Amino acid sequence: MAAPKAGLFLLLPGAWPVWLGLALCSVPGGGGSSGEQGTCGCSASRGSGSGEAAAWRYSQEANAPQQPARGTLVGGQMVSIPAGVFTMGTDEPAIQQDGEGPARRVRLSRFYMDRYEVSNAEFEKFVDATGYLTEAEKYGDSFVFEGMLSERVKTEIHQAVAAAPWWLPVKGANWRHPEGPDSDISNRMEHPVLHVSWNDAVAYCVWAGKRLPTEAEWEYSCRGGLENRLFPWGNKLCPKRQHYANIWQGDFPTNNTGEDGFKGTAPVSAFPPNGYGLYNVVGNAWEWTADWWAVHHSAEEMHNPKGPLSGTDKVKKGGSYMCHKSYCYRYRCAARSQNTPDSSASNLGFRCAADTLLDSL
Ligand SMILES: [Ca+2]
Ligand SMILES: [Ca+2]
């Protein structure tokens, strides 16, 4: 099990995903224009809606795309992403060392993309059909954020990641037990599967007749037909004071208000979809891509790029429910990070892509 990257993880005081019934960004226009330091960090006053009202506000029905999606829904689970050319990366990198630039033109053939992050329910089908054991289960432990752990589990841990002491290797933590042996997913079957390594993600996608998206495909999907925008929906983090992603609100690292409704993960169908009809592309769970990690990129136009031929880490995209702008401003389409292929953690999942659709999809 490889250590999580130190720069990606946040203190999360809440113990469980909690629906707080708080839906609106409490600072009008939070997030502002491109490059502004907005976080929806609207801790001063919360929305006053009831849980039921907030649940409706973020339901699939209430958040149906207001404009026709440019991707085409195929069956219930995948979207046909049209061939096209887009600007990958940015010439205004927010995190220089991550290799977000340069902006370069990338041409892609048509492909298919999962509408949602792979959920616990979907992953369970795979495990039930194959008996697959994830790497976290084989290793016997996985990384969990300290703030998610019970006191009993914490007292049994005597080791931490030196560079990121808030991440603890928890014995018995895996996709079925995200916070260790005394936790389960019975109330989170529609949440993204966590504690899956890159190798686990590949195994799932192959079983499903799919594959992991390349980084270029993921980013193109993230942008939803928009050019040079920060987020899948535009440049404002909270347009019309509405939350569009599950990230962190509050004062890092002491207070996660859960203003967007979730201190932990959210259901994979929560929050409005982007222009291609994809949900939770940024935020909620980090998503593995197929590519090896590198930080230097050619500015030349490329056609269906697949990243470096080899490497030590794989690219992950989108940030997670633990991302706050002050620490991990990586819930942008151009943002990126990396882990070794055998890494697993309580904020890292995936979705699949495909070149063709099987009849069963
Ligand atoms: Ca949140
Ligand atoms: Ca995501």
Side-chain angles (χ1 to χ4, degrees), residues 32-86:
S33 59
S34 174
E36 189 176 324
Q37 296 292 310
T39 63
C40 295
C42 324
S43 56
S45 64
R46 296 175 173 176
S48 58
S50 67
E52 189 175 347
W56 162 251
R57 191 172 295 119
Y58 288 120
S59 68
Q60 275 185 254
E61 294 76 11
N63 288 299
Q66 295 179 354
Q67 297 177 343
R70 297 174 62 182
T72 304
L73 293 180
V74 179
Q77 299 301 318
M78 297 201 89
V79 171
S80 174
I81 307 294
V85 61
F86 80 111

Side-chain angles (χ1 to χ4, degrees), residues 15 49 148 213 282 289 319:
M148 306 286 279
V282 299
T289 75

Side-chain angles (χ1 to χ4, degrees), residues 117 280-287 318-319 351:
E117 297 155 331
N280 289 297
V281 187
V282 299
N284 214 26
W286 278 100
E287 299 175 23
R351 78 180 68 209

Side-chain angles (χ1 to χ4, degrees), residues 127-285:
V127 170
D128 287 349
T130 63
Y132 184 85
L133 271 184
T134 61
E135 293 200 283
E137 290 168 294
K138 292 176 187 171
Y139 285 122
D141 59 10
S142 188
F143 281 99
V144 185
F145 183 71
E146 181 183 16
M148 306 286 279
L149 295 172
S150 68
E151 290 303 319
R152 187 182 70 76
V153 168
K154 275 194 278 191
T155 58
E156 296 173 354
I157 299 171
H158 306 288
Q159 177 188 3
V161 181
W166 45 89
W167 279 100
L168 298 178
V170 175
K171 286 187 168 50
N174 56 55
W175 72 277
R176 290 190 189 276
H177 304 287
E179 294 84 34
D182 60 354
S183 66
D184 65 56
I185 55 173
S186 58
N187 294 322
R188 288 180 275 179
M189 294 308 291
E190 300 306 321
H191 288 223
V193 65
L194 306 172
H195 296 294
V196 282
S197 68
W198 184 89
N199 297 313
D200 299 331
V202 168
Y204 173 93
C205 290
V206 168
W207 170 78
K210 307 178 188 179
R211 57 175 174 77
L212 282 177
T214 66
E215 181 181 6
E217 288 171 336
W218 190 100
E219 186 167 327
Y220 182 57
S221 300
C222 181
R223 295 181 179 281
L226 303 177
E227 270 282 319
N228 295 315
R229 296 296 192 273
L230 289 170
F231 310 117
W233 54 88
N235 277 334
K236 290 186 176 181
L237 183 59
C238 299
K240 298 181 181 178
R241 298 183 60 196
Q242 186 176 13
H243 288 288
Y244 274 66
N246 181 16
I247 55 173
W248 171 298
Q249 297 86 38
D251 299 318
F252 173 81
T254 55
N255 181 31
N256 179 3
T257 68
E259 184 189 89
D260 59 22
F262 303 93
K263 288 187 175 181
T265 54
V268 297
S269 59
F271 299 95
N274 74 358
Y276 287 152
L278 305 177
Y279 289 76
N280 289 297
V281 187
V282 299
N284 214 26

Side-chain angles (χ1 to χ4, degrees), residues 291-294 306-314:
D291 293 17
W292 290 109
W293 170 261
K306 298 184 185 306
L309 293 175
S310 62
T312 57
D313 290 351
K314 289 290 184 178

